[in-house]
């Protein structure tokens, strides 16, 4: 589906739409697997974190990545508090810096890179948080609504803020995620895995 979507977008110049019947949320929920943050598959090679900023909290998901874009959701949590407050940002920073995950073979891994959404009402707070943290691979990101943009479009340097943010092709990213969620058990490439602990 991803190659087909690229063909539709770049060669035909039209938007590619996935059929809604391809994805049944209850089947996805029933496909959860028995793993956790201290015992996850050896196929995971790198760990990333995505953070959404709301007026009263940070919502974050940690994902382990393997070959072919296969992914395992390792942790999902909410850090409650005003993102403008130092203690809320410190709690997020402590998590990103200190949290350790472990594969079945015993290898301990840490979060390698983090993107934090700069959209919404908390843009300046996110800028303040990510400033000076690029050496830890912590960056702000911003969605691009124009169709046909790649998932990672490019970096944008904000000289006044002394940071750079990642520009993300939102439509393409959503389509990619949707197609990966619809991948059957027989095809591991790009498949998304979720732990038994995850609720609906």
């Amino acid at each position: 589906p991803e190659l087909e979507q690229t063909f539709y977008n770049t060669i035909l110049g039209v938007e590619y739409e996935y059929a809604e019947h391809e994805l049944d949320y209850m089947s996805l929920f029933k496909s959860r697997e028995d793993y956790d943050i201290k015992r996850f598959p050896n196929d995971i090679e790198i760990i990333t974190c995505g953070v959404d900023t709301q007026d009263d909290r940070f919502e974050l998901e940690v994902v382990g990545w393997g070959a072919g874009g296969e992914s395992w959701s390792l942790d999902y949590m909410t850090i409650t508090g005003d993102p403008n407050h130092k203690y809320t940002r410190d709690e997020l920073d402590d998590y990103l810096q200190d949290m350790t995950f472990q594969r079945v073979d015993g290898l301990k891994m840490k979060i390698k890179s983090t993107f934090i959404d700069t959209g919404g009402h908390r843009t300046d707070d996110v800028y303040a948080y990510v400033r000076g943290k690029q050496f830890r691979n912590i960056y702000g990101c911003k969605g691009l609504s124009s169709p046909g943009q790649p998932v990672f479009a490019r970096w944008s340097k904000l000289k006044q803020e002394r940071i750079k943010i990642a520009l993300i092709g939102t439509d393409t990213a959503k389509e990619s995620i949707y197609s990966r969620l619809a991948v059957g058990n027989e095809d591991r490439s790009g498949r998304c895995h979720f732990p038994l602990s995850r609720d609906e």
Side-chain angles (χ1 to χ4, degrees), residues 104-164:
V104 171
D105 65 6
L107 178 67
K108 293 184 178 178
M109 302 176 74
K110 298 187 96 44
I111 296 168
K112 188 71 173 175
S113 185
T114 301
F115 276 10
I116 304 176
D117 184 25
T118 62
H121 302 118
R122 297 300 185 177
T123 302
D124 291 337
D125 299 327
V126 176
Y127 288 170
Y129 175 74
V130 301
R131 188 177 298 114
K133 293 184 174 63
Q134 294 179 21
F135 73 99
R136 289 172 50 197
N137 295 314
I138 297 175
Y139 301 96
C141 65
K142 178 179 174 56
L144 298 173
S145 57
S146 52
Q149 296 284 341
V151 174
F152 177 79
R154 64 188 177 279
W155 290 107
S156 176
K157 291 186 179 180
L158 306 180
K159 292 182 180 177
Q160 186 175 350
E161 302 293 340
R162 301 187 315 279
I163 61 171
K164 65 179 182 177

Side-chain angles (χ1 to χ4, degrees), residues 70-82:
E70 190 171 9
S71 67
W72 289 261
S73 181
L74 299 178
D75 199 12
Y76 184 93
M77 67 175 296
T78 300
I79 296 175
T80 305
D82 188 335

Side-chain angles (χ1 to χ4, degrees), residues 18-178:
Y18 293 94
E20 289 189 21
H21 67 272
E22 292 178 22
L23 181 60
D24 172 34
Y25 88 93
M26 191 48 74
S27 296
L28 184 63
F29 183 66
K30 289 177 179 176
S31 72
R32 293 171 304 152
E33 301 167 39
D34 185 19
Y35 69 87
D36 57 46
I37 59 177
K38 296 296 182 189
R39 184 183 49 86
F40 61 79
N42 296 336
D43 295 332
I44 294 177
E45 299 170 3
I46 193 167
I47 298 175
T48 63
C49 181
V51 182
D52 185 39
T53 307
Q54 298 294 324
D55 289 344
D56 60 350
R57 67 192 184 279
F58 288 115
E59 298 270 349
L60 60 96
E61 182 181 20
V62 178
V63 178
W65 297 91
E70 190 171 9
S71 67
W72 289 261
S73 181
L74 299 178
D75 199 12
Y76 184 93
M77 67 175 296
T78 300
I79 296 175
T80 305
D82 188 335
N84 186 41
H85 293 158
K86 184 179 183 303
Y87 64 83
T88 308
R89 294 197 304 258
D90 285 349
E91 188 175 344
L92 173 62
D93 201 50
D94 289 345
Y95 180 90
L96 295 176
Q97 187 164 303
D98 300 335
M99 192 63 184
T100 301
F101 304 82
Q102 184 171 311
R103 294 194 320 197
V104 171
D105 65 6
L107 178 67
K108 293 184 178 178
M109 302 176 74
K110 298 187 96 44
I111 296 168
K112 188 71 173 175
S113 185
T114 301
F115 276 10
I116 304 176
D117 184 25
T118 62
H121 302 118
R122 297 300 185 177
T123 302
D124 291 337
D125 299 327
V126 176
Y127 288 170
Y129 175 74
V130 301
R131 188 177 298 114
K133 293 184 174 63
Q134 294 179 21
F135 73 99
R136 289 172 50 197
N137 295 314
I138 297 175
Y139 301 96
C141 65
K142 178 179 174 56
L144 298 173
S145 57
S146 52
Q149 296 284 341
V151 174
F152 177 79
R154 64 188 177 279
W155 290 107
S156 176
K157 291 186 179 180
L158 306 180
K159 292 182 180 177
Q160 186 175 350
E161 302 293 340
R162 301 187 315 279
I163 61 171
K164 65 179 182 177
I165 62 172
L167 300 180
I168 308 298
T170 308
D171 290 346
T172 307
K174 288 178 181 177
E175 290 171 355
S176 175
I177 292 168
Y178 193 86

